mmCIF file of all heavy atoms in Angstrom:
data_model
loop_
_atom_site.group_PDB
_atom_site.id
_atom_site.type_symbol
_atom_site.label_atom_id
_atom_site.label_comp_id
_atom_site.label_asym_id
_atom_site.label_seq_id
_atom_site.Cartn_x
_atom_site.Cartn_y
_atom_site.Cartn_z
ATOM 1 N N ARG A 17 117.539 68.618 91.859
ATOM 2 C CA ARG A 17 118.045 70.005 92.146
ATOM 3 C C ARG A 17 117.372 71.047 91.208
ATOM 4 O O ARG A 17 117.054 72.092 91.576
ATOM 5 C CB ARG A 17 119.544 70.056 92.082
ATOM 6 C CG ARG A 17 120.240 69.337 93.255
ATOM 7 C CD ARG A 17 121.743 69.520 93.247
ATOM 8 N NE ARG A 17 122.394 68.846 94.307
ATOM 9 C CZ ARG A 17 123.676 68.849 94.616
ATOM 10 N NH1 ARG A 17 124.509 69.505 93.744
ATOM 11 N NH2 ARG A 17 124.167 68.328 95.666
ATOM 12 N N GLU A 18 117.372 70.648 89.863
ATOM 13 C CA GLU A 18 116.729 71.577 89.006
ATOM 14 C C GLU A 18 115.259 71.760 89.219
ATOM 15 O O GLU A 18 114.693 72.839 89.029
ATOM 16 C CB GLU A 18 116.962 71.054 87.622
ATOM 17 C CG GLU A 18 118.428 71.216 87.124
ATOM 18 C CD GLU A 18 118.605 71.023 85.598
ATOM 19 O OE1 GLU A 18 117.626 70.636 84.987
ATOM 20 O OE2 GLU A 18 119.675 71.337 85.140
ATOM 21 N N GLY A 19 114.547 70.694 89.699
ATOM 22 C CA GLY A 19 113.139 70.838 90.047
ATOM 23 C C GLY A 19 112.994 71.708 91.174
ATOM 24 O O GLY A 19 112.067 72.605 91.164
ATOM 25 N N ALA A 20 113.860 71.639 92.161
ATOM 26 C CA ALA A 20 113.686 72.504 93.313
ATOM 27 C C ALA A 20 113.990 74.041 92.908
ATOM 28 O O ALA A 20 113.363 74.949 93.299
ATOM 29 C CB ALA A 20 114.655 72.118 94.411
ATOM 30 N N ALA A 21 115.003 74.186 92.061
ATOM 31 C CA ALA A 21 115.391 75.516 91.627
ATOM 32 C C ALA A 21 114.263 76.108 90.772
ATOM 33 O O ALA A 21 113.975 77.279 90.901
ATOM 34 C CB ALA A 21 116.694 75.514 90.794
ATOM 35 N N ARG A 22 113.686 75.264 89.950
ATOM 36 C CA ARG A 22 112.568 75.780 89.107
ATOM 37 C C ARG A 22 111.308 76.173 89.902
ATOM 38 O O ARG A 22 110.727 77.258 89.647
ATOM 39 C CB ARG A 22 112.131 74.669 88.098
ATOM 40 C CG ARG A 22 111.143 75.133 87.037
ATOM 41 C CD ARG A 22 110.798 74.090 85.985
ATOM 42 N NE ARG A 22 111.930 73.814 85.177
ATOM 43 C CZ ARG A 22 112.718 72.722 85.265
ATOM 44 N NH1 ARG A 22 112.387 71.808 86.103
ATOM 45 N NH2 ARG A 22 113.724 72.568 84.503
ATOM 46 N N ARG A 23 111.023 75.418 90.925
ATOM 47 C CA ARG A 23 109.919 75.849 91.785
ATOM 48 C C ARG A 23 110.151 77.090 92.540
ATOM 49 O O ARG A 23 109.365 77.930 92.692
ATOM 50 C CB ARG A 23 109.583 74.627 92.832
ATOM 51 C CG ARG A 23 108.853 73.409 92.148
ATOM 52 C CD ARG A 23 108.470 72.400 93.208
ATOM 53 N NE ARG A 23 109.542 71.945 93.973
ATOM 54 C CZ ARG A 23 110.218 70.796 93.598
ATOM 55 N NH1 ARG A 23 109.918 70.160 92.515
ATOM 56 N NH2 ARG A 23 111.196 70.348 94.376
ATOM 57 N N ALA A 24 111.444 77.286 92.988
ATOM 58 C CA ALA A 24 111.793 78.499 93.603
ATOM 59 C C ALA A 24 111.753 79.667 92.705
ATOM 60 O O ALA A 24 111.244 80.771 93.086
ATOM 61 C CB ALA A 24 113.157 78.354 94.257
ATOM 62 N N ALA A 25 112.151 79.503 91.479
ATOM 63 C CA ALA A 25 112.091 80.571 90.477
ATOM 64 C C ALA A 25 110.715 80.933 90.164
ATOM 65 O O ALA A 25 110.375 82.096 90.019
ATOM 66 C CB ALA A 25 112.887 80.105 89.170
ATOM 67 N N GLU A 26 109.772 79.964 90.037
ATOM 68 C CA GLU A 26 108.458 80.298 89.692
ATOM 69 C C GLU A 26 107.760 80.996 90.829
ATOM 70 O O GLU A 26 106.977 81.894 90.618
ATOM 71 C CB GLU A 26 107.659 78.948 89.401
ATOM 72 C CG GLU A 26 108.072 78.288 88.077
ATOM 73 C CD GLU A 26 107.426 76.928 87.912
ATOM 74 O OE1 GLU A 26 106.805 76.427 88.894
ATOM 75 O OE2 GLU A 26 107.570 76.324 86.765
ATOM 76 N N ALA A 27 108.106 80.600 92.028
ATOM 77 C CA ALA A 27 107.589 81.325 93.218
ATOM 78 C C ALA A 27 107.951 82.761 93.271
ATOM 79 O O ALA A 27 107.215 83.602 93.682
ATOM 80 C CB ALA A 27 107.986 80.656 94.539
ATOM 81 N N ALA A 28 109.160 83.081 92.809
ATOM 82 C CA ALA A 28 109.686 84.421 92.768
ATOM 83 C C ALA A 28 109.440 85.096 91.498
ATOM 84 O O ALA A 28 109.969 86.235 91.187
ATOM 85 C CB ALA A 28 111.118 84.435 93.118
ATOM 86 N N GLU A 29 108.586 84.431 90.554
ATOM 87 C CA GLU A 29 108.287 84.949 89.275
ATOM 88 C C GLU A 29 109.602 85.175 88.418
ATOM 89 O O GLU A 29 109.691 86.174 87.729
ATOM 90 C CB GLU A 29 107.531 86.279 89.290
ATOM 91 C CG GLU A 29 106.111 86.038 89.947
ATOM 92 C CD GLU A 29 105.241 87.273 89.949
ATOM 93 O OE1 GLU A 29 105.852 88.326 89.587
ATOM 94 O OE2 GLU A 29 104.135 87.179 90.349
ATOM 95 N N GLU A 30 110.508 84.276 88.653
ATOM 96 C CA GLU A 30 111.730 84.286 87.837
ATOM 97 C C GLU A 30 111.640 83.202 86.778
ATOM 98 O O GLU A 30 110.875 82.208 86.940
ATOM 99 C CB GLU A 30 112.939 83.996 88.786
ATOM 100 C CG GLU A 30 113.197 84.913 89.844
ATOM 101 C CD GLU A 30 113.897 86.226 89.364
ATOM 102 O OE1 GLU A 30 114.488 86.122 88.272
ATOM 103 O OE2 GLU A 30 113.883 87.224 90.057
ATOM 104 N N SER A 31 112.298 83.453 85.753
ATOM 105 C CA SER A 31 112.347 82.447 84.663
ATOM 106 C C SER A 31 113.724 82.003 84.212
ATOM 107 O O SER A 31 113.861 81.496 83.122
ATOM 108 C CB SER A 31 111.578 83.030 83.419
ATOM 109 O OG SER A 31 112.247 84.180 82.916
ATOM 110 N N THR A 32 114.675 82.196 85.115
ATOM 111 C CA THR A 32 116.067 81.890 84.705
ATOM 112 C C THR A 32 116.311 80.445 84.366
ATOM 113 O O THR A 32 116.836 80.159 83.398
ATOM 114 C CB THR A 32 116.996 82.232 85.869
ATOM 115 O OG1 THR A 32 116.773 83.622 86.188
ATOM 116 C CG2 THR A 32 118.412 82.024 85.459
ATOM 117 N N VAL A 33 115.689 79.536 85.225
ATOM 118 C CA VAL A 33 115.891 78.130 85.024
ATOM 119 C C VAL A 33 115.219 77.712 83.782
ATOM 120 O O VAL A 33 115.733 76.934 82.960
ATOM 121 C CB VAL A 33 115.388 77.359 86.236
ATOM 122 C CG1 VAL A 33 115.482 75.812 85.973
ATOM 123 C CG2 VAL A 33 116.217 77.679 87.455
ATOM 124 N N ALA A 34 113.975 78.206 83.521
ATOM 125 C CA ALA A 34 113.223 77.792 82.321
ATOM 126 C C ALA A 34 114.048 78.282 81.091
ATOM 127 O O ALA A 34 114.071 77.536 80.095
ATOM 128 C CB ALA A 34 111.837 78.431 82.314
ATOM 129 N N GLU A 35 114.616 79.500 81.160
ATOM 130 C CA GLU A 35 115.318 79.940 80.003
ATOM 131 C C GLU A 35 116.622 79.083 79.788
ATOM 132 O O GLU A 35 116.942 78.781 78.629
ATOM 133 C CB GLU A 35 115.752 81.449 80.250
ATOM 134 C CG GLU A 35 114.578 82.314 80.094
ATOM 135 C CD GLU A 35 114.949 83.786 80.310
ATOM 136 O OE1 GLU A 35 116.170 84.033 80.627
ATOM 137 O OE2 GLU A 35 114.098 84.672 80.340
ATOM 138 N N ALA A 36 117.216 78.686 80.908
ATOM 139 C CA ALA A 36 118.483 77.901 80.801
ATOM 140 C C ALA A 36 118.209 76.525 80.142
ATOM 141 O O ALA A 36 119.059 75.953 79.524
ATOM 142 C CB ALA A 36 119.088 77.669 82.205
ATOM 143 N N ALA A 37 116.926 76.032 80.394
ATOM 144 C CA ALA A 37 116.617 74.720 79.749
ATOM 145 C C ALA A 37 115.799 74.847 78.517
ATOM 146 O O ALA A 37 115.209 73.960 78.051
ATOM 147 C CB ALA A 37 115.734 73.966 80.798
ATOM 148 N N ALA A 38 115.820 76.140 77.967
ATOM 149 C CA ALA A 38 115.033 76.456 76.713
ATOM 150 C C ALA A 38 115.593 75.622 75.602
ATOM 151 O O ALA A 38 116.552 75.006 75.710
ATOM 152 C CB ALA A 38 115.123 77.909 76.410
ATOM 153 N N PRO A 39 114.880 75.672 74.474
ATOM 154 C CA PRO A 39 115.162 74.645 73.449
ATOM 155 C C PRO A 39 116.397 74.941 72.664
ATOM 156 O O PRO A 39 116.366 75.048 71.372
ATOM 157 C CB PRO A 39 113.917 74.815 72.565
ATOM 158 C CG PRO A 39 113.461 76.233 72.636
ATOM 159 C CD PRO A 39 113.829 76.579 74.106
ATOM 160 N N THR A 40 117.599 74.961 73.299
ATOM 161 C CA THR A 40 118.803 74.965 72.460
ATOM 162 C C THR A 40 118.921 73.697 71.712
ATOM 163 O O THR A 40 119.459 73.782 70.604
ATOM 164 C CB THR A 40 120.075 75.055 73.362
ATOM 165 O OG1 THR A 40 120.089 73.901 74.270
ATOM 166 C CG2 THR A 40 119.927 76.268 74.267
ATOM 167 N N ALA A 41 118.372 72.600 72.213
ATOM 168 C CA ALA A 41 118.510 71.338 71.504
ATOM 169 C C ALA A 41 117.507 71.298 70.316
ATOM 170 O O ALA A 41 117.577 70.411 69.483
ATOM 171 C CB ALA A 41 118.237 70.223 72.345
ATOM 172 N N LYS A 42 116.607 72.334 70.185
ATOM 173 C CA LYS A 42 115.619 72.324 69.154
ATOM 174 C C LYS A 42 116.022 73.139 67.981
ATOM 175 O O LYS A 42 115.224 73.301 67.056
ATOM 176 C CB LYS A 42 114.234 72.723 69.685
ATOM 177 C CG LYS A 42 113.687 71.739 70.777
ATOM 178 C CD LYS A 42 112.346 72.183 71.280
ATOM 179 C CE LYS A 42 111.793 71.258 72.357
ATOM 180 N NZ LYS A 42 110.503 71.612 72.895
ATOM 181 N N VAL A 43 117.191 73.785 68.064
ATOM 182 C CA VAL A 43 117.662 74.555 66.854
ATOM 183 C C VAL A 43 118.322 73.560 65.968
ATOM 184 O O VAL A 43 119.463 73.187 66.247
ATOM 185 C CB VAL A 43 118.625 75.683 67.311
ATOM 186 C CG1 VAL A 43 119.032 76.501 66.094
ATOM 187 C CG2 VAL A 43 117.954 76.564 68.331
ATOM 188 N N PRO A 44 117.709 73.191 64.865
ATOM 189 C CA PRO A 44 118.275 72.086 64.136
ATOM 190 C C PRO A 44 119.449 72.493 63.213
ATOM 191 O O PRO A 44 119.768 73.639 63.017
ATOM 192 C CB PRO A 44 117.049 71.645 63.278
ATOM 193 C CG PRO A 44 116.269 72.879 63.048
ATOM 194 C CD PRO A 44 116.443 73.659 64.318
ATOM 195 N N TRP A 45 120.042 71.429 62.579
ATOM 196 C CA TRP A 45 121.208 71.651 61.714
ATOM 197 C C TRP A 45 120.771 72.482 60.525
ATOM 198 O O TRP A 45 121.514 73.292 60.042
ATOM 199 C CB TRP A 45 121.709 70.282 61.240
ATOM 200 C CG TRP A 45 122.742 70.396 60.151
ATOM 201 C CD1 TRP A 45 122.686 70.279 58.830
ATOM 202 C CD2 TRP A 45 124.123 70.725 60.411
ATOM 203 N NE1 TRP A 45 123.860 70.513 58.221
ATOM 204 C CE2 TRP A 45 124.749 70.789 59.150
ATOM 205 C CE3 TRP A 45 124.886 71.010 61.532
ATOM 206 C CZ2 TRP A 45 126.109 71.064 58.961
ATOM 207 C CZ3 TRP A 45 126.264 71.277 61.455
ATOM 208 C CH2 TRP A 45 126.843 71.317 60.171
ATOM 209 N N SER A 46 119.534 72.341 60.033
ATOM 210 C CA SER A 46 119.114 73.128 58.861
ATOM 211 C C SER A 46 119.154 74.636 59.104
ATOM 212 O O SER A 46 119.163 75.405 58.176
ATOM 213 C CB SER A 46 117.687 72.695 58.435
ATOM 214 O OG SER A 46 116.741 72.885 59.479
ATOM 215 N N GLN A 47 119.080 75.015 60.346
ATOM 216 C CA GLN A 47 119.043 76.439 60.738
ATOM 217 C C GLN A 47 120.433 76.955 61.126
ATOM 218 O O GLN A 47 120.622 78.064 61.634
ATOM 219 C CB GLN A 47 118.042 76.710 61.880
ATOM 220 C CG GLN A 47 116.609 76.427 61.463
ATOM 221 C CD GLN A 47 115.627 76.682 62.609
ATOM 222 O OE1 GLN A 47 115.913 77.379 63.485
ATOM 223 N NE2 GLN A 47 114.470 76.095 62.445
ATOM 224 N N ALA A 48 121.449 76.053 61.113
ATOM 225 C CA ALA A 48 122.791 76.406 61.497
ATOM 226 C C ALA A 48 123.314 77.453 60.482
ATOM 227 O O ALA A 48 123.097 77.334 59.279
ATOM 228 C CB ALA A 48 123.693 75.230 61.496
ATOM 229 N N PRO A 49 124.006 78.506 61.021
ATOM 230 C CA PRO A 49 124.532 79.537 60.037
ATOM 231 C C PRO A 49 125.520 78.882 59.111
ATOM 232 O O PRO A 49 126.164 77.874 59.406
ATOM 233 C CB PRO A 49 125.190 80.526 60.994
ATOM 234 C CG PRO A 49 124.545 80.300 62.355
ATOM 235 C CD PRO A 49 124.222 78.836 62.366
ATOM 236 N N ALA A 50 125.646 79.632 57.962
ATOM 237 C CA ALA A 50 126.650 79.134 56.927
ATOM 238 C C ALA A 50 128.024 79.043 57.477
ATOM 239 O O ALA A 50 128.787 78.160 57.058
ATOM 240 C CB ALA A 50 126.546 80.054 55.735
ATOM 241 N N ALA A 51 128.426 79.995 58.384
ATOM 242 C CA ALA A 51 129.722 79.919 58.876
ATOM 243 C C ALA A 51 130.041 78.612 59.615
ATOM 244 O O ALA A 51 131.137 78.018 59.437
ATOM 245 C CB ALA A 51 129.920 81.163 59.799
ATOM 246 N N PHE A 52 129.065 78.176 60.446
ATOM 247 C CA PHE A 52 129.307 76.968 61.166
ATOM 248 C C PHE A 52 129.262 75.732 60.334
ATOM 249 O O PHE A 52 130.058 74.844 60.479
ATOM 250 C CB PHE A 52 128.229 76.852 62.250
ATOM 251 C CG PHE A 52 128.300 75.603 63.146
ATOM 252 C CD1 PHE A 52 129.395 75.477 63.973
ATOM 253 C CD2 PHE A 52 127.306 74.571 63.120
ATOM 254 C CE1 PHE A 52 129.527 74.332 64.726
ATOM 255 C CE2 PHE A 52 127.461 73.488 63.935
ATOM 256 C CZ PHE A 52 128.575 73.346 64.727
ATOM 257 N N ARG A 53 128.439 75.734 59.290
ATOM 258 C CA ARG A 53 128.386 74.619 58.335
ATOM 259 C C ARG A 53 129.752 74.580 57.578
ATOM 260 O O ARG A 53 130.206 73.485 57.275
ATOM 261 C CB ARG A 53 127.200 74.728 57.481
ATOM 262 C CG ARG A 53 125.865 74.544 58.067
ATOM 263 C CD ARG A 53 124.823 74.288 57.084
ATOM 264 N NE ARG A 53 124.623 75.237 56.056
ATOM 265 C CZ ARG A 53 123.761 76.296 56.174
ATOM 266 N NH1 ARG A 53 123.028 76.418 57.259
ATOM 267 N NH2 ARG A 53 123.712 77.176 55.180
ATOM 268 N N GLY A 54 130.272 75.712 57.211
ATOM 269 C CA GLY A 54 131.597 75.748 56.551
ATOM 270 C C GLY A 54 132.699 75.169 57.415
ATOM 271 O O GLY A 54 133.563 74.442 56.907
ATOM 272 N N ILE A 55 132.682 75.528 58.694
ATOM 273 C CA ILE A 55 133.695 74.999 59.620
ATOM 274 C C ILE A 55 133.551 73.484 59.755
ATOM 275 O O ILE A 55 134.523 72.744 59.784
ATOM 276 C CB ILE A 55 133.548 75.703 60.974
ATOM 277 C CG1 ILE A 55 134.028 77.159 60.902
ATOM 278 C CG2 ILE A 55 134.371 75.000 62.057
ATOM 279 C CD1 ILE A 55 133.693 77.947 62.185
#
């Protein structure tokens, strides 16, 4: 389903799906704000 949605978004020059799958998982612990590390 995500592949189909991505192809449709690319055809319409949309980037919603790509942004939704953007590298949230690539923001490492070392870059976590001090507030979150304190919690």
